Structure formats: C-alpha cells, structure tokens
Amino acid sequence: MGSSNQAGRYHLAIDIGASSGRHILGHLEDGRMVLEEIHRFPNGMVDRDGEKVWDVEELFAQIKCGMKKCAQAGKIPDSVGVDTWGVDFVLLNKAGERIGNAVAYRDDRTKGMDEEVYKVIGEDELYARTGIQKQQFNTIYQLMALKTRKPEQLAAAEVLLMVPDYFHYLLSGVAVTEYTEATTGQLVSPVTKDWDMELIEMLGFPRKIFQKMVTPGTVLGDLREEVQAEVGFNCKVVVPATHDTGSAVIAVPTSSDDAIYISSGTWSLMGTELLEANCSPASKANNLANEGGYDYRFRYLKNIMGLWMIQSVKKEIGGELGFGEICEMASRCNITSIVDCNDDRFLAPANMTEEVKAACRESGQQVPQTLAEVASVIYNSLAKCYARTIRQIQEITGQTYDCIHIVGGGANADYLNRLTAQATGVPVYAGPTEATAIGNLAAQMMAAGELGNLKEARACVYRSFPIKEY
C-alpha cells in the first residue's frame, strides 16, 4: 500500500442505473485507481398518474444520503458527478419547479409518435441529420408525445434537463445539458456537436427550453448552500460523461483506437469509437448509432436488449438464485433455440419467460421449459447477436477488430463471455465490472489534472482492475 502522501484526493461517482444506484468513492494511489462503495440504493419505474415514471425525489434523497455517508466516513470528496441512463428528461417552469412527472422510457406514451415526427421529417433524413439509431423511446418521440397529448406542459416549460442534468442542477443550481447524454435523444447534430435548432423548430418544440451544451469535465461550481448544510460539506460539481455508456466507454482498458467494446448491463451496447460520425444509409440500415463520447469521439454502437431479459426471467421464475448460479445452470443445457434479442416484443413484455417461449414456439424451435433452458436460449441468442453486430460494424467501417472488451456488470457472466468468444471467433477481455463508475471518476480526475488525458485514463484502468481473457 502506498503511504498517505501518495494517495490522491477523493472523487465521488454517483452511478444510477435503471434498477439500482450507488455511490463509489475513488482516488489514485501509486498510479492505480482505488474504489470504495459508500452507498447503494434501489431504483425502478413506478406507476403514477397512469404513467411509468422515475421517482426523482426519492433518487435525489438517496444522492444526498450517500453524500452524508462520505462525511460520516471522514472521506470528503473534492468533486461529485452523476451519470444515469439516456433519453429521459424533466421540464422546469419559470420558478425552477418540475412540470409533470419524470416519465420513463418504457412508458408507452411514445407509441405512434414516430409517425408524427415523420410527417415533419422523413426517417432517412432524420438519421442523416442526427446519426442516432431509431428507438421508439428517444427524446424526440417523447417530446412529440408531450406536444401531441400534453401541450400545456410544453407551453409552461422554460427549461428541459436530461435526468442527470437535473440532478446536477439540484446539487449546484446550474442548468446545463451534458453532450453525451443529449446525443441519445436524437436532437443533436454530429457536425456542430450541439442542439440541432433547425430540427427542433421544424418539429415545433420550444427553442428556449434547450440549455447550453457542456462536455464531460466541465466544473459547474460548488454545492448549493442548502445541500452543503444537509450533507455536511462542500465540493465541486463536475459533469462526467453523464450517459452511463459514455462513462463506461471511457473505462474500456484499451490502448488501441480500433477496439470493439460491449458495455454490458441492462442493455448491451456494442460498438467502437470513431472520430467522425457515420450517418450513411448503410449505417442506418444496420441500426447503428453515433452517440457522443468523451473528447468528441463518437460511440458508434448498436443498442442490444442485453441482460434485461435475464433480469426479468430471474424476477419471474429465478426465486433466490443469483445471476452466477443461473449462468452456471444455463451452461449445462444443450437447447439450440435462438430468438432475436432486438425484437420489440422483448422491450417490456407482461412476462419475459412466456415471451421467450412464445418466440421459440412461433419459429418452430424447441420451446425451453426450465429456468436453465430459458436462460440458455437468452445467453446463446445474445452471443449470436454480438457476432452479427461485429460483422456489420466491420463491413461498414472497413476495419477488422481482433478482440472484444466487455465492461460493466455483464462482464461477470462467464458463460456469456465464453459463448461470445466462440460466436465471434475473437478473444474476449472481460472487465472492469464497475466500468461506468470508473469512467465517471476518470472524467473527474482528468478535470482535476490527476490524469492527463483519455489514453492515460485507460492505461490507469488497465493497471488498476483485473481483466479476464476468454
């Protein structure tokens, strides 16, 4: 262990996912990043006023609760930054109060809204302008739903903030939009790297609600006085890559510019980094997205359904079993049925287990009966989907990729990693599992001058955490 004079200052990453959030304190010690989990709390969508929503009051209470625990532990961070999922937002009125609910992306308010948008701008042109993969829940369709169904909310709005921007606003009092998060909504130009105001006006969304765009590493300032009083200290609020995948990609432990990564969690986000967006028709045909990344690198990736399918099945029929045990049981099955993980039927089915069975039945394949068989079908289907995606990316970029880095919680799924190596025919490097929090911390450490740049940050990640090869 290094002596205390070699230990760097603390930074606090607050990483909130769709099912849970946690506070991870990080500091540098002898050139390595050291993590400590301070607080963990549940998250999930709740039904309110007939909508599926995020309980943002409870989430902010948990954000402050975890910060208090830092003070109680005598580990005061120099800075704090929040990351979350993409596309979702809140609206604020003149007084800075929230209008309506923080509606969640799995709510069905966006059904049919793509057609409304395409009356104004065709699907091909929209992709050519934004480079973002069509997902029914993108911010552009959520705003169209508000304009169509609740125009009074949009009329009363002064400010639109993406969910992590809203938490930074509650912490610092500063209302800005972070670039990587904003790009997920399909309203940002990959050329100007800013809001596409012409598109926004064409769609009839109020221009004034879109805030100034900032990049990861921007210092917003101190905590608001009432927050300081509540948590027991002051620190800087530093914007990380607030989109969790944007943070996770910072933590891919590669020295190469031509790496393929899978950020594996509720969603599997598989892609590479490009210095310029590829908004070509071929790219659109393969449903690849050019999401904003650190340093204006593009996360050229595909959104794949991911471990949400396994999480749902575990909830339905998994009882007390852990993911590791389910993975192990699945590895002993020899069922060969495959489903298309990207089919919308798996986005929010009433029962995932029954949906997987039905998909197998409809395609004339063996229908899985047990938990192990259902899990095996899902894992095998994901691996096949990864293999198809890497081929698509290779064809479009003209690059060949000689390995895959799997980061995030899914890096623990041993059986899936083995299947992925088999299906793609290239070595798989799994880890770090805490990629999102690590990338969040790395952005704060780069802002503080403790890590020089992205290359240095990734080298530090490689040194600091175990990585397993398949």
Side-chain angles (χ1 to χ4, degrees), residues 370-392:
T370 62
L371 168 67
E373 285 182 350
V374 173
S376 183
V377 168
I378 292 171
Y379 286 128
N380 276 284
S381 300
L382 281 171
K384 287 275 190 301
C385 196
Y386 296 162
R388 199 164 58 242
T389 303
I390 194 171
R391 283 197 302 275
Q392 290 169 348

PDB file of all heavy atoms in Angstrom, residues 370-392:
ATOM      1  N   THR A 370     -37.467 -25.128 -18.563  1.00  0.00           N
ATOM      2  CA  THR A 370     -36.953 -24.798 -17.227  1.00  0.00           C
ATOM      3  C   THR A 370     -36.289 -23.423 -17.227  1.00  0.00           C
ATOM      4  O   THR A 370     -36.001 -22.859 -18.296  1.00  0.00           O
ATOM      5  CB  THR A 370     -35.905 -25.833 -16.809  1.00  0.00           C
ATOM      6  OG1 THR A 370     -34.805 -25.752 -17.758  1.00  0.00           O
ATOM      7  CG2 THR A 370     -36.460 -27.249 -16.832  1.00  0.00           C
ATOM      8  N   LEU A 371     -36.026 -22.907 -16.046  1.00  0.00           N
ATOM      9  CA  LEU A 371     -35.280 -21.650 -15.895  1.00  0.00           C
ATOM     10  C   LEU A 371     -33.947 -21.747 -16.649  1.00  0.00           C
ATOM     11  O   LEU A 371     -33.563 -20.842 -17.399  1.00  0.00           O
ATOM     12  CB  LEU A 371     -35.020 -21.369 -14.408  1.00  0.00           C
ATOM     13  CG  LEU A 371     -34.008 -20.262 -14.089  1.00  0.00           C
ATOM     14  CD1 LEU A 371     -34.531 -18.898 -14.524  1.00  0.00           C
ATOM     15  CD2 LEU A 371     -33.669 -20.224 -12.602  1.00  0.00           C
ATOM     16  N   ALA A 372     -33.247 -22.884 -16.460  1.00  0.00           N
ATOM     17  CA  ALA A 372     -31.929 -23.045 -17.086  1.00  0.00           C
ATOM     18  C   ALA A 372     -32.044 -22.988 -18.611  1.00  0.00           C
ATOM     19  O   ALA A 372     -31.215 -22.365 -19.291  1.00  0.00           O
ATOM     20  CB  ALA A 372     -31.302 -24.366 -16.656  1.00  0.00           C
ATOM     21  N   GLU A 373     -33.089 -23.615 -19.158  1.00  0.00           N
ATOM     22  CA  GLU A 373     -33.256 -23.633 -20.619  1.00  0.00           C
ATOM     23  C   GLU A 373     -33.605 -22.248 -21.157  1.00  0.00           C
ATOM     24  O   GLU A 373     -33.078 -21.820 -22.181  1.00  0.00           O
ATOM     25  CB  GLU A 373     -34.324 -24.660 -21.023  1.00  0.00           C
ATOM     26  CG  GLU A 373     -33.834 -26.100 -20.934  1.00  0.00           C
ATOM     27  CD  GLU A 373     -34.886 -27.116 -21.373  1.00  0.00           C
ATOM     28  OE1 GLU A 373     -36.060 -26.721 -21.569  1.00  0.00           O
ATOM     29  OE2 GLU A 373     -34.519 -28.299 -21.536  1.00  0.00           O
ATOM     30  N   VAL A 374     -34.487 -21.545 -20.446  1.00  0.00           N
ATOM     31  CA  VAL A 374     -34.851 -20.187 -20.883  1.00  0.00           C
ATOM     32  C   VAL A 374     -33.603 -19.297 -20.868  1.00  0.00           C
ATOM     33  O   VAL A 374     -33.326 -18.553 -21.824  1.00  0.00           O
ATOM     34  CB  VAL A 374     -35.960 -19.582 -19.983  1.00  0.00           C
ATOM     35  CG1 VAL A 374     -36.203 -18.111 -20.330  1.00  0.00           C
ATOM     36  CG2 VAL A 374     -37.266 -20.371 -20.123  1.00  0.00           C
ATOM     37  N   ALA A 375     -32.816 -19.394 -19.784  1.00  0.00           N
ATOM     38  CA  ALA A 375     -31.590 -18.584 -19.669  1.00  0.00           C
ATOM     39  C   ALA A 375     -30.608 -18.954 -20.769  1.00  0.00           C
ATOM     40  O   ALA A 375     -29.967 -18.080 -21.369  1.00  0.00           O
ATOM     41  CB  ALA A 375     -30.962 -18.779 -18.293  1.00  0.00           C
ATOM     42  N   SER A 376     -30.492 -20.249 -21.062  1.00  0.00           N
ATOM     43  CA  SER A 376     -29.575 -20.708 -22.100  1.00  0.00           C
ATOM     44  C   SER A 376     -29.959 -20.124 -23.465  1.00  0.00           C
ATOM     45  O   SER A 376     -29.099 -19.663 -24.224  1.00  0.00           O
ATOM     46  CB  SER A 376     -29.574 -22.243 -22.165  1.00  0.00           C
ATOM     47  OG  SER A 376     -28.636 -22.676 -23.121  1.00  0.00           O
ATOM     48  N   VAL A 377     -31.255 -20.114 -23.762  1.00  0.00           N
ATOM     49  CA  VAL A 377     -31.726 -19.523 -25.025  1.00  0.00           C
ATOM     50  C   VAL A 377     -31.331 -18.039 -25.089  1.00  0.00           C
ATOM     51  O   VAL A 377     -30.832 -17.548 -26.109  1.00  0.00           O
ATOM     52  CB  VAL A 377     -33.267 -19.682 -25.183  1.00  0.00           C
ATOM     53  CG1 VAL A 377     -33.798 -18.830 -26.335  1.00  0.00           C
ATOM     54  CG2 VAL A 377     -33.628 -21.153 -25.388  1.00  0.00           C
ATOM     55  N   ILE A 378     -31.518 -17.331 -23.983  1.00  0.00           N
ATOM     56  CA  ILE A 378     -31.201 -15.892 -23.966  1.00  0.00           C
ATOM     57  C   ILE A 378     -29.699 -15.660 -24.152  1.00  0.00           C
ATOM     58  O   ILE A 378     -29.275 -14.851 -24.989  1.00  0.00           O
ATOM     59  CB  ILE A 378     -31.717 -15.228 -22.667  1.00  0.00           C
ATOM     60  CG1 ILE A 378     -33.252 -15.222 -22.648  1.00  0.00           C
ATOM     61  CG2 ILE A 378     -31.172 -13.805 -22.529  1.00  0.00           C
ATOM     62  CD1 ILE A 378     -33.879 -14.789 -21.330  1.00  0.00           C
ATOM     63  N   TYR A 379     -28.871 -16.385 -23.392  1.00  0.00           N
ATOM     64  CA  TYR A 379     -27.413 -16.184 -23.498  1.00  0.00           C
ATOM     65  C   TYR A 379     -26.907 -16.520 -24.907  1.00  0.00           C
ATOM     66  O   TYR A 379     -26.109 -15.786 -25.481  1.00  0.00           O
ATOM     67  CB  TYR A 379     -26.673 -17.030 -22.467  1.00  0.00           C
ATOM     68  CG  TYR A 379     -26.763 -16.518 -21.048  1.00  0.00           C
ATOM     69  CD1 TYR A 379     -27.164 -17.341 -19.989  1.00  0.00           C
ATOM     70  CD2 TYR A 379     -26.435 -15.193 -20.742  1.00  0.00           C
ATOM     71  CE1 TYR A 379     -27.243 -16.874 -18.684  1.00  0.00           C
ATOM     72  CE2 TYR A 379     -26.518 -14.708 -19.439  1.00  0.00           C
ATOM     73  CZ  TYR A 379     -26.918 -15.551 -18.414  1.00  0.00           C
ATOM     74  OH  TYR A 379     -26.993 -15.082 -17.126  1.00  0.00           O
ATOM     75  N   ASN A 380     -27.379 -17.639 -25.455  1.00  0.00           N
ATOM     76  CA  ASN A 380     -26.956 -18.028 -26.803  1.00  0.00           C
ATOM     77  C   ASN A 380     -27.430 -17.015 -27.844  1.00  0.00           C
ATOM     78  O   ASN A 380     -26.720 -16.710 -28.803  1.00  0.00           O
ATOM     79  CB  ASN A 380     -27.461 -19.433 -27.148  1.00  0.00           C
ATOM     80  CG  ASN A 380     -26.536 -20.510 -26.607  1.00  0.00           C
ATOM     81  OD1 ASN A 380     -25.469 -20.752 -27.157  1.00  0.00           O
ATOM     82  ND2 ASN A 380     -26.925 -21.130 -25.499  1.00  0.00           N
ATOM     83  N   SER A 381     -28.642 -16.493 -27.641  1.00  0.00           N
ATOM     84  CA  SER A 381     -29.182 -15.503 -28.571  1.00  0.00           C
ATOM     85  C   SER A 381     -28.367 -14.210 -28.526  1.00  0.00           C
ATOM     86  O   SER A 381     -28.103 -13.586 -29.557  1.00  0.00           O
ATOM     87  CB  SER A 381     -30.647 -15.211 -28.246  1.00  0.00           C
ATOM     88  OG  SER A 381     -31.420 -16.399 -28.346  1.00  0.00           O
ATOM     89  N   LEU A 382     -27.970 -13.808 -27.323  1.00  0.00           N
ATOM     90  CA  LEU A 382     -27.151 -12.594 -27.185  1.00  0.00           C
ATOM     91  C   LEU A 382     -25.813 -12.769 -27.889  1.00  0.00           C
ATOM     92  O   LEU A 382     -25.371 -11.879 -28.633  1.00  0.00           O
ATOM     93  CB  LEU A 382     -26.924 -12.263 -25.696  1.00  0.00           C
ATOM     94  CG  LEU A 382     -28.080 -11.572 -24.987  1.00  0.00           C
ATOM     95  CD1 LEU A 382     -27.816 -11.491 -23.479  1.00  0.00           C
ATOM     96  CD2 LEU A 382     -28.312 -10.165 -25.538  1.00  0.00           C
ATOM     97  N   ALA A 383     -25.159 -13.922 -27.690  1.00  0.00           N
ATOM     98  CA  ALA A 383     -23.855 -14.161 -28.317  1.00  0.00           C
ATOM     99  C   ALA A 383     -23.970 -14.103 -29.843  1.00  0.00           C
ATOM    100  O   ALA A 383     -23.126 -13.519 -30.530  1.00  0.00           O
ATOM    101  CB  ALA A 383     -23.288 -15.504 -27.865  1.00  0.00           C
ATOM    102  N   LYS A 384     -25.038 -14.697 -30.379  1.00  0.00           N
ATOM    103  CA  LYS A 384     -25.263 -14.677 -31.833  1.00  0.00           C
ATOM    104  C   LYS A 384     -25.474 -13.233 -32.326  1.00  0.00           C
ATOM    105  O   LYS A 384     -25.011 -12.838 -33.388  1.00  0.00           O
ATOM    106  CB  LYS A 384     -26.501 -15.512 -32.193  1.00  0.00           C
ATOM    107  CG  LYS A 384     -26.298 -17.023 -32.074  1.00  0.00           C
ATOM    108  CD  LYS A 384     -25.685 -17.604 -33.347  1.00  0.00           C
ATOM    109  CE  LYS A 384     -25.700 -19.131 -33.371  1.00  0.00           C
ATOM    110  NZ  LYS A 384     -24.972 -19.760 -32.259  1.00  0.00           N
ATOM    111  N   CYS A 385     -26.195 -12.474 -31.525  1.00  0.00           N
ATOM    112  CA  CYS A 385     -26.468 -11.080 -31.863  1.00  0.00           C
ATOM    113  C   CYS A 385     -25.164 -10.272 -31.869  1.00  0.00           C
ATOM    114  O   CYS A 385     -24.932  -9.442 -32.757  1.00  0.00           O
ATOM    115  CB  CYS A 385     -27.446 -10.512 -30.841  1.00  0.00           C
ATOM    116  SG  CYS A 385     -28.213  -8.999 -31.382  1.00  0.00           S
ATOM    117  N   TYR A 386     -24.284 -10.530 -30.892  1.00  0.00           N
ATOM    118  CA  TYR A 386     -22.985  -9.850 -30.844  1.00  0.00           C
ATOM    119  C   TYR A 386     -22.166 -10.182 -32.094  1.00  0.00           C
ATOM    120  O   TYR A 386     -21.525  -9.315 -32.679  1.00  0.00           O
ATOM    121  CB  TYR A 386     -22.183 -10.276 -29.610  1.00  0.00           C
ATOM    122  CG  TYR A 386     -22.780  -9.921 -28.277  1.00  0.00           C
ATOM    123  CD1 TYR A 386     -22.363 -10.570 -27.106  1.00  0.00           C
ATOM    124  CD2 TYR A 386     -23.748  -8.923 -28.146  1.00  0.00           C
ATOM    125  CE1 TYR A 386     -22.892 -10.251 -25.861  1.00  0.00           C
ATOM    126  CE2 TYR A 386     -24.286  -8.607 -26.904  1.00  0.00           C
ATOM    127  CZ  TYR A 386     -23.854  -9.274 -25.764  1.00  0.00           C
ATOM    128  OH  TYR A 386     -24.370  -8.962 -24.535  1.00  0.00           O
ATOM    129  N   ALA A 387     -22.189 -11.473 -32.494  1.00  0.00           N
ATOM    130  CA  ALA A 387     -21.405 -11.898 -33.656  1.00  0.00           C
ATOM    131  C   ALA A 387     -21.909 -11.202 -34.924  1.00  0.00           C
ATOM    132  O   ALA A 387     -21.118 -10.750 -35.765  1.00  0.00           O
ATOM    133  CB  ALA A 387     -21.489 -13.415 -33.821  1.00  0.00           C
ATOM    134  N   ARG A 388     -23.243 -11.077 -35.032  1.00  0.00           N
ATOM    135  CA  ARG A 388     -23.829 -10.416 -36.192  1.00  0.00           C
ATOM    136  C   ARG A 388     -23.440  -8.930 -36.207  1.00  0.00           C
ATOM    137  O   ARG A 388     -23.101  -8.359 -37.242  1.00  0.00           O
ATOM    138  CB  ARG A 388     -25.351 -10.578 -36.139  1.00  0.00           C
ATOM    139  CG  ARG A 388     -26.049 -10.348 -37.456  1.00  0.00           C
ATOM    140  CD  ARG A 388     -27.476 -10.899 -37.461  1.00  0.00           C
ATOM    141  NE  ARG A 388     -28.313 -10.326 -36.427  1.00  0.00           N
ATOM    142  CZ  ARG A 388     -28.881 -11.040 -35.438  1.00  0.00           C
ATOM    143  NH1 ARG A 388     -28.706 -12.348 -35.356  1.00  0.00           N
ATOM    144  NH2 ARG A 388     -29.645 -10.450 -34.540  1.00  0.00           N
ATOM    145  N   THR A 389     -23.457  -8.316 -35.022  1.00  0.00           N
ATOM    146  CA  THR A 389     -23.165  -6.880 -34.912  1.00  0.00           C
ATOM    147  C   THR A 389     -21.714  -6.570 -35.261  1.00  0.00           C
ATOM    148  O   THR A 389     -21.429  -5.592 -35.954  1.00  0.00           O
ATOM    149  CB  THR A 389     -23.519  -6.375 -33.496  1.00  0.00           C
ATOM    150  OG1 THR A 389     -24.899  -6.658 -33.239  1.00  0.00           O
ATOM    151  CG2 THR A 389     -23.290  -4.887 -33.359  1.00  0.00           C
ATOM    152  N   ILE A 390     -20.782  -7.403 -34.785  1.00  0.00           N
ATOM    153  CA  ILE A 390     -19.366  -7.136 -35.099  1.00  0.00           C
ATOM    154  C   ILE A 390     -19.141  -7.244 -36.604  1.00  0.00           C
ATOM    155  O   ILE A 390     -18.408  -6.452 -37.207  1.00  0.00           O
ATOM    156  CB  ILE A 390     -18.407  -8.049 -34.283  1.00  0.00           C
ATOM    157  CG1 ILE A 390     -16.952  -7.532 -34.361  1.00  0.00           C
ATOM    158  CG2 ILE A 390     -18.414  -9.476 -34.734  1.00  0.00           C
ATOM    159  CD1 ILE A 390     -15.986  -8.254 -33.410  1.00  0.00           C
ATOM    160  N   ARG A 391     -19.840  -8.178 -37.258  1.00  0.00           N
ATOM    161  CA  ARG A 391     -19.704  -8.308 -38.718  1.00  0.00           C
ATOM    162  C   ARG A 391     -20.220  -7.045 -39.419  1.00  0.00           C
ATOM    163  O   ARG A 391     -19.601  -6.541 -40.351  1.00  0.00           O
ATOM    164  CB  ARG A 391     -20.478  -9.537 -39.235  1.00  0.00           C
ATOM    165  CG  ARG A 391     -19.769 -10.860 -38.988  1.00  0.00           C
ATOM    166  CD  ARG A 391     -20.343 -11.982 -39.868  1.00  0.00           C
ATOM    167  NE  ARG A 391     -21.780 -12.201 -39.679  1.00  0.00           N
ATOM    168  CZ  ARG A 391     -22.299 -12.988 -38.716  1.00  0.00           C
ATOM    169  NH1 ARG A 391     -21.499 -13.614 -37.869  1.00  0.00           N
ATOM    170  NH2 ARG A 391     -23.612 -13.140 -38.621  1.00  0.00           N
ATOM    171  N   GLN A 392     -21.357  -6.539 -38.943  1.00  0.00           N
ATOM    172  CA  GLN A 392     -21.933  -5.328 -39.543  1.00  0.00           C
ATOM    173  C   GLN A 392     -20.975  -4.141 -39.392  1.00  0.00           C
ATOM    174  O   GLN A 392     -20.748  -3.383 -40.343  1.00  0.00           O
ATOM    175  CB  GLN A 392     -23.270  -4.982 -38.871  1.00  0.00           C
ATOM    176  CG  GLN A 392     -24.381  -5.966 -39.198  1.00  0.00           C
ATOM    177  CD  GLN A 392     -25.614  -5.757 -38.313  1.00  0.00           C
ATOM    178  OE1 GLN A 392     -25.577  -5.036 -37.326  1.00  0.00           O
ATOM    179  NE2 GLN A 392     -26.711  -6.409 -38.681  1.00  0.00           N
TER     180      GLN A 392
END
